[in-house]
């Protein structure tokens, strides 16, 4: 079984990717999407989102990172995939699942699930543009507002040349509301020859194995579950038996704060800590208490003096 770490726009970026892969259990990661419009992006745009390109497309713990791109123009997508490949990308992943309204209004992400033929053209163009040694993969949802075209979309990705696909088992309209329809993933993987990776509502070891049983997939992708329980991948693989102690999580939170000293503005820094504490609250009662302590704080200096100062004793 492979476990892939999903991106989460605005939280699970390269900083948190580094921390979670260091904790362990992940076989590979996918970056947050790089938006492709009608231009050839400069290399610094790729490095900004995927700085791991400077280290053989791997995190410091040696976990490979795929570069994810999002857009609707096959030629422009292919040209930018070429740039990513030239920078040493481990793989190219294409986003057909983002449910964000701003993305969908611009004919990106999940909006393309209404156009299987265009999905095929995009994957085919990207696959044709990068060396065969670089895998091209894709992520999709079950549809935009229905499952009417689900199998057509999946087949379009396979026919376009995708090596494997990740299926988030909800439509765009479903958003992130439970449940995830893992039985639909089973239908997709039964209709394709390529590998299908299951994604959606995997919060625990029990969820992971129930998802694998229903979907009949061999591999899973986790995102929110990984942020809520940073040891989840290790627990699923049976490497450890218990989640991390809260004292360990405090050290990790402090490490994450330190990684944001460069590149993240003050208010965004405090926002990301609150966001991560909110997710950790699913697993840790201590996170609920700490979230209440800092939820009204916006200035980073105040956050550091009222909350992070106590972490210094854990160094």
């Amino acid at each position: 079984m492979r476990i892939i770490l999903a991106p989460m726009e605005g939280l699970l970026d390269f900083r948190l990717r580094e921390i979670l892969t260091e904790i362990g259990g992940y076989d590979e990661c996918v970056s947050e999407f790089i938006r492709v419009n009608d231009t050839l992006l400069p290399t610094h745009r790729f490095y900004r989102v995927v700085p791991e390109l400077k280290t053989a497309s791997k995190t410091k713990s040696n976990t490979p990172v795929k570069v994810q791109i999002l857009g609707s123009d096959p030629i422009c997508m292919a040209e930018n995939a070429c740039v990513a490949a030239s920078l040493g990308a481990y793989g190219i992943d294409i986003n057909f699942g983002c449910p964000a309204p701003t993305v969908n209004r611009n004919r990106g992400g999940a909006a393309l699930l209404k156009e299987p033929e265009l999905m095929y053209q995009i994957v085919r163009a990207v696959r044709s543009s990068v060396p065969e040694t670089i895998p091209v993969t894709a992520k999709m949802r079950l549809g935009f507002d229905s499952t009417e075209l689900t199998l057509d979309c999946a087949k379009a990705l396979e026919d376009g040349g995708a090596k494997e696909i990740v299926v988030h088992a909800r439509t765009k309209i479903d958003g992130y509301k439970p449940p995830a329809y893992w039985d639909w993933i089973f239908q997709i993987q039964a209709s394709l020859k390529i590998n299908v990776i299951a994604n959606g509502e995997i919060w625990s070891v029990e969820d992971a194995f129930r998802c694998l049983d229903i979907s009949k997939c061999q591999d899973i992708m986790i995102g929110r579950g990984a942020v809520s329980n940073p040891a989840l991948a290790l627990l699923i693989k049976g490497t450890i038996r218990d989640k991390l102690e809260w004292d360990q999580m405090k050290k990790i939170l402090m490490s994450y704060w330190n990684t944001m000293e460069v590149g993240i503005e003050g208010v965004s820094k405090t926002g990301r800590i609150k966001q991560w504490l909110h997710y950790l609250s699913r697993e840790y009662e201590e996170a609920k208490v700490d979230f209440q302590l800092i939820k009204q704080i916006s200035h980073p200096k105040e956050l550091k003096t009222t909350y992070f100062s106590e972490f210094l004793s854990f160094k």
Side-chain angles (χ1 to χ4, degrees):
M1 174 179 55
R2 292 154 61 223
I3 301 179
I4 294 108
L5 180 62
M8 290 174 62
E9 193 70 23
L11 179 62
L12 212 171
D13 62 358
F14 68 88
R15 298 172 182 85
L16 197 47
R17 208 156 51 227
E18 188 66 53
I19 289 171
L20 293 178
T21 56
E22 185 177 355
I23 292 169
Y26 297 99
D27 296 282
E28 63 182 54
C29 316
V30 179
S31 77
E32 318 95 283
F33 68 77
I34 297 172
R35 185 71 163 100
V36 174
N37 291 312
D38 56 357
T39 60
L40 191 62
L41 298 173
T43 56
H44 70 81
R45 286 283 297 279
F46 292 89
Y47 286 132
R48 185 175 67 194
V49 178
V50 197
E52 296 97 337
L53 287 169
K54 296 179 180 179
T55 54
S57 202
K58 293 180 180 179
T59 65
K60 289 179 183 176
S61 55
N62 214 37
T63 308
V65 183
K66 288 180 180 174
V67 176
Q68 187 180 83
I69 57 176
L70 178 151
S72 58
D73 184 285
I75 294 174
C76 200
M77 288 282 281
E79 290 175 344
N80 281 278
C82 259
V83 174
S86 73
L87 297 176
Y90 163 76
I92 306 295
D93 190 71
I94 307 172
N95 185 317
F96 295 108
C98 179
T102 53
V103 170
N104 297 160
R105 280 196 298 270
N106 289 285
R107 207 185 182 193
L112 294 173
L113 295 166
K114 296 183 282 188
E115 303 182 71
E117 176 59 28
L118 180 55
M119 293 172 67
Y120 163 78
Q121 291 173 11
I122 291 169
V123 175
R124 184 181 181 188
V126 170
R127 175 66 279 172
S128 299
S129 71
V130 300
E132 284 295 326
T133 53
I134 297 178
V136 172
T137 59
K139 185 177 183 183
M140 63 173 279
R141 283 178 173 252
L142 298 181
F144 189 81
D145 52 10
S146 76
T147 55
E148 182 180 358
L149 297 175
T150 303
L151 297 182
D152 292 334
C153 290
K155 192 68 169 64
L157 299 179
E158 179 180 60
D159 290 347
K163 180 182 179 182
E164 63 184 7
I165 64 172
V166 175
V167 178
H168 183 126
R170 285 181 275 232
T171 65
K172 184 273 183 199
I173 298 301
D174 291 331
Y176 294 96
K177 295 177 296 192
Y181 301 96
W182 297 328
D183 55 320
W184 258 109
I185 303 179
F186 168 72
Q187 293 184 55
I188 292 169
Q189 70 87 21
S191 70
L192 302 182
K193 296 185 175 74
I194 60 174
N195 188 46
V196 176
I197 300 167
N199 174 237
E201 288 301 300
I202 301 174
W203 297 96
S204 66
V205 175
E206 294 74 19
D207 290 339
F209 284 99
R210 193 159 58 88
C211 174
L212 291 170
D213 181 58
I214 293 172
S215 68
K216 306 305 178 189
C217 291
Q218 295 182 339
D219 307 318
I220 57 173
M221 173 181 275
I222 54 178
R224 293 181 301 154
V227 174
S228 299
N229 183 353
L232 181 56
L234 292 174
L235 289 165
I236 293 169
K237 288 187 172 180
T239 308
I240 60 174
R241 292 187 176 184
D242 296 303
K243 66 186 181 183
L244 302 177
E245 297 291 335
W246 184 245
D247 282 357
Q248 293 174 281
M249 277 308 311
K250 280 186 172 183
K251 292 180 183 179
I252 291 167
L253 278 163
M254 185 176 68
S255 295
Y256 181 52
W257 174 265
N258 290 336
T259 67
M260 291 190 286
E261 288 299 324
V262 178
I264 300 288
E265 294 185 5
V267 174
S268 296
K269 285 173 63 177
T270 58
R272 288 198 179 196
I273 292 296
K274 292 176 191 178
Q275 193 177 7
W276 197 5
L277 277 172
H278 175 72
Y279 277 106
L280 288 168
S281 296
R282 287 184 63 103
E283 291 289 331
Y284 295 94
E285 286 298 319
E286 298 93 334
K288 294 179 182 178
V289 174
D290 288 358
F291 179 79
Q292 291 301 317
L293 176 67
I294 69 167
K295 71 176 184 178
Q296 300 299 328
I297 297 175
S298 59
H299 198 283
K301 192 170 184 179
E302 184 183 356
L303 183 74
K304 193 169 185 177
T305 55
T306 60
Y307 184 53
F308 279 102
S309 58
E310 70 179 83
F311 289 1
L312 298 177
S313 62
F314 289 94
K315 281 188 174 180

